[in-house]
Amino acid sequence: AQSVSQHNHHVILSEAASLELGCNYSYGGTVNLFWYVQYPGQHLQLLLKYFSGDPLVKGIKGFEAEFIKSKFSFNLRKPSVQWSDTAEYFCAVIPGDNDMRFGAGTRLTVKP
Amino acid sequence: NAGVTQTPKFQVLKTGQSMTLQCAQDMNHEYMSWYRQDPGMGLRLIHYSVGAGITDQGEVPNGYNVSRSTTEDFPLRLLSAAPSQTSVYFCASSYMSRHEQYFGPGTRLTVT
């Protein structure tokens, strides 16, 4: 079945460490790509999105993501995490004219 | 703008009861959707609407009903609650399909 895969279920980092969260999808053709963040007890907020153009996209709070078409990947990165980045991160894909499909999420814990 | 609002925030139901989760948006968005969030499964699409009077099923529609009589409102009805419907429900809206979605604060539903 076609899907969105986030391989890391729980990532634990110390403050100032670098972050990379993986996202792979199995849909062919045109895709719109998103990363959302959900802070504890809150709703999902958009971090960044990719529709077309420069495959390196920058989002809010110092996050960025790189679209690698040949690898069907859209990994999220941040050079130096803070305690306030503790949250759950969801990769989402809109394949073609279909609906938004979410990965299972990656829980990030940043230790002060 | 209030964005996307949902009521109630919490609800406990007994098996077999019915209820309606309310969702409203004030951004004049055409596309609205309902998701359920379960641990380790990300968000799964229940139903969606591309405009007033038009609704369609998502990935997990069984046991749920929707209608869209106005652009602003998109209620989700549980016809006969079951314990398997215990979940957090999120409503979302976007300017049109294939664009980023804005999420409401969620409704935490427990069915006993």
Side-chain angles (χ1 to χ4, degrees):
Chain A
Q2 296 184 316
S3 66
V4 182
S5 299
Q6 293 182 244
H7 304 293
N8 307 105
H9 296 295
H10 189 192
V11 173
I12 302 172
L13 295 173
S14 298
E15 275 193 315
S18 64
L19 170 72
E20 181 160 3
L21 301 182
C23 174
N24 288 90
Y25 59 93
S26 61
Y27 306 97
T30 303
V31 290
N32 288 354
L33 301 162
F34 308 83
W35 275 98
Y36 282 87
V37 60
Q38 185 178 30
Y39 298 104
Q42 297 190 25
H43 61 284
L44 276 76
Q45 302 171 43
L46 182 70
L47 270 180
L48 48 79
K49 63 186 178 184
Y50 174 80
F51 288 2
S52 64
D54 188 344
L56 184 63
V57 293
K58 296 192 182 301
I60 60 172
K61 305 187 181 188
F63 286 91
E64 65 179 31
E66 185 175 14
F67 170 51
I68 303 180
K69 188 174 182 178
S70 61
K71 294 186 177 180
F72 297 86
S73 71
F74 190 55
N75 291 355
L76 181 71
R77 299 195 291 248
K78 186 171 185 179
S80 176
V81 294
Q82 301 171 323
W83 176 80
S84 58
D85 292 324
T86 294
E88 190 152 19
Y89 293 80
F90 293 94
C91 179
V93 178
I94 298 180
D97 290 330
N98 292 303
D99 307 298
M100 186 175 279
R101 313 291 169 86
F102 284 84
T106 297
R107 185 156 62 100
L108 172 65
T109 300
V110 180
K111 294 185 174 181
Chain B
N1 282 354
V4 180
T5 58
Q6 291 182 238
T7 56
K9 288 189 175 181
F10 301 95
Q11 183 70 49
V12 179
L13 291 178
K14 294 187 187 306
T15 297
Q17 288 184 316
S18 62
M19 79 159 295
T20 299
L21 307 185
Q22 301 292 344
C23 174
Q25 52 91 9
D26 62 358
M27 297 175 282
N28 202 32
H29 285 170
E30 290 295 326
Y31 185 93
M32 295 187 73
S33 56
W34 276 101
Y35 293 87
R36 59 177 289 172
Q37 183 181 26
D38 301 294
M41 302 188 75
L43 280 77
R44 291 181 293 168
L45 182 66
I46 304 172
H47 284 284
Y48 66 96
S49 168
V50 297
I54 307 169
T55 64
D56 207 344
Q57 297 181 350
E59 184 183 358
V60 289
N62 292 343
Y64 307 94
N65 212 348
V66 291
S67 60
R68 184 97 179 269
S69 56
T70 67
T71 299
E72 294 78 19
D73 300 298
F74 191 44
L76 177 73
R77 280 182 287 277
L78 278 70
L79 308 173
S80 177
S84 60
Q85 294 179 305
T86 293
S87 188
V88 181
Y89 292 84
F90 288 100
C91 179
S93 73
S94 65
Y95 171 64
M96 56 190 296
S97 61
R98 306 201 75 240
H99 284 242
E100 65 268 27
Q101 296 192 66
Y102 296 84
F103 285 82
T107 295
R108 186 174 293 274
L109 176 68
T110 301
V111 183
T112 62

